[in-house]
């Protein structure tokens, strides 16, 4: 990752969260969130990563967190920035934007 670049990881699944009826899918939330962040922070660098909790990549930290989402019955999608959960179920932009602003201000 490059300097001042933040990774935003969205953990989700193809199937909707059983407790999240009438919510968008994890993939739809991922696309919506990526577009919203790019609009709000056009001059900032970030990477969006989607992790399927049932088929996580080989990266140990992502596998471990995907397992945690399942074992703890978290509402997904779960949005994580710098190992901090900033959204669960139906994530709120205000919370995510606030966390990103804190990180980018610290990095300057």
């Amino acid at each position: 990752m490059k300097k001042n670049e933040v990774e935003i990881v969205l953990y989700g699944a193809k199937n909707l969260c059983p407790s999240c009826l009438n919510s968008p899918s994890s993939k739809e939330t991922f696309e919506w969130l990526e577009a919203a962040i790019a609009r709000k922070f056009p001059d900032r660098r970030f990477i969006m990563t989607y992790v399927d909790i049932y088929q996580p990549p080989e990266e140990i930290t992502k596998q471990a967190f995907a397992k945690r989402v399942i074992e703890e019955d978290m509402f997904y999608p779960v949005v994580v920035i710098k190992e901090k959960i900033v959204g669960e179920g139906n994530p709120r932009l205000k919370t995510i934007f606030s966390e990103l602003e804190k990180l980018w201000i610290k990095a300057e």
Side-chain angles (χ1 to χ4, degrees):
M1 236 183 315
K2 297 174 183 150
K3 187 180 177 198
N4 295 344
E5 193 170 59
V6 174
E7 182 181 28
I8 302 152
V9 184
L10 188 139
Y11 292 85
K14 290 179 186 173
N15 298 334
L16 289 178
C17 168
S19 301
C20 303
L21 295 175
N22 300 324
S23 294
S25 71
S26 295
K27 275 290 198 188
E28 289 169 330
T29 301
F30 175 86
E31 292 165 0
W32 163 78
L33 186 57
E34 185 174 39
I37 294 169
R39 276 193 308 276
K40 175 78 174 173
F41 303 104
D43 58 335
R44 298 296 184 168
R45 302 176 72 110
F46 68 96
I47 295 172
M48 286 287 300
T49 305
Y50 178 82
V51 175
D52 185 312
I53 59 174
Y54 296 107
Q55 296 178 329
E58 292 192 21
E59 190 177 327
I60 299 298
T61 55
K62 288 184 174 67
Q63 282 183 354
F65 195 85
K67 184 177 179 181
R68 183 177 160 201
V69 171
I70 295 166
E71 289 178 349
E72 294 180 16
D73 288 327
M74 292 183 186
F75 296 122
Y76 52 85
V78 178
V79 181
V80 177
I81 301 172
K82 294 267 186 187
E83 298 178 20
K84 180 178 180 182
I85 298 172
V86 295
E88 187 179 342
N90 190 6
R92 303 279 176 236
L93 284 178
K94 185 176 181 179
T95 306
I96 294 166
F97 288 171
S98 174
E99 188 64 26
L100 288 170
E101 286 168 348
K102 284 189 266 183
L103 288 172
W104 281 319
I105 287 170
K106 273 189 205 175
E108 291 178 345

